[in-house]
Amino acid sequence: MKIYPYKRLNRPVTLRVTSVSLILSDGTRDPLETTAYSTQQQAVALGIAGRTDWVSAVIGLSATLPPGVNATDAAWSDLRVLAVLTDGETNVRTSVDLARDAEDGRDWSGSLEVLRDDHLGRASLAVHAVGTVDGVDGRSIAETDGSWIVDTVSDEPVRGLQLDVQKASFKKSSRGWLQVYADAPWIVDASARVPTVFVNTDVEGIIGLLDSSGSGVDSKVRDLLVTQMATDVWTAVFHGAIGDLEVEPDGSPVFPTDWQGEVLREMLPDVIPGAHVEEALRQVHRRRTGDSGWVELQTRIHYAAVRRADTTKALAYAIRRLEQMNRESET
């Protein structure tokens, strides 16, 4: 939790996406359907149209500021509302001013252009209200309490962890580093732009098991295998994210703005229960870089990964189904 030496609004800004259009290479505009964005997921999927000839996207925005922003005795003046798109992977930051819809109103709207060449995957979209306070320009008055995700490649507007699953012969792979893990059924690469799971086709039967769609024992084993794989993935990406943090001059860790930030925000409440995510991030960072506490934290990290993978639910379902099959075979 940040502490500001001046008055601010106590409630967050509400951000909505109202439209999405692609600007094509010939200059024409292709409006996308409302399925390109999800208010519930707070995500935009620019790949939903399946087009490869777009140059930029225009996202229509609407923001509502908290009550009290226009109070006659407000401590700020020269109010501005900015939509900011941040890409932690390409280090591109784009901002645009929104306009007030009505005089003395709390609703502001506008549009933000997303240049395709500036982004490789996901970027974070937030809104900040700034003003002049105590003679200082550009002070933060309020902001969204969470960012929207703008995904330039996905065809589905979801903000959850996106994975790339690839099948490969570890023994024969052109990726030399996979050969070292020739006896492993799968390996997680958390250093890729999108976390990637490599499934080892050299392990006899694993591909057939993962691709099975029946309702017998195979399907139960498959479900358990998938949850174990998911647990490994969540554990690996958490460690990848926490180990690659940027740090401010005062030593405070900064939340990543890509999938790594999403992973941390998702898992930290289970890793450091009862703490705000920013405080939880600071505690985990201190333990990882300090003299003690990091080893003890591994149990909580594994627990958080197990919860994300729904391992308990999958295990309970598999046990019930196997017990049912055993009873049926005895009758």
Side-chain angles (χ1 to χ4, degrees), residues 17 72 216 238 245:
V17 170
T72 55
F238 182 87
L245 292 174

Side-chain angles (χ1 to χ4, degrees), residues 55 86 117 191 201 321:
V55 177
T86 305
D117 288 344
S191 65
T201 58
R321 186 68 183 98

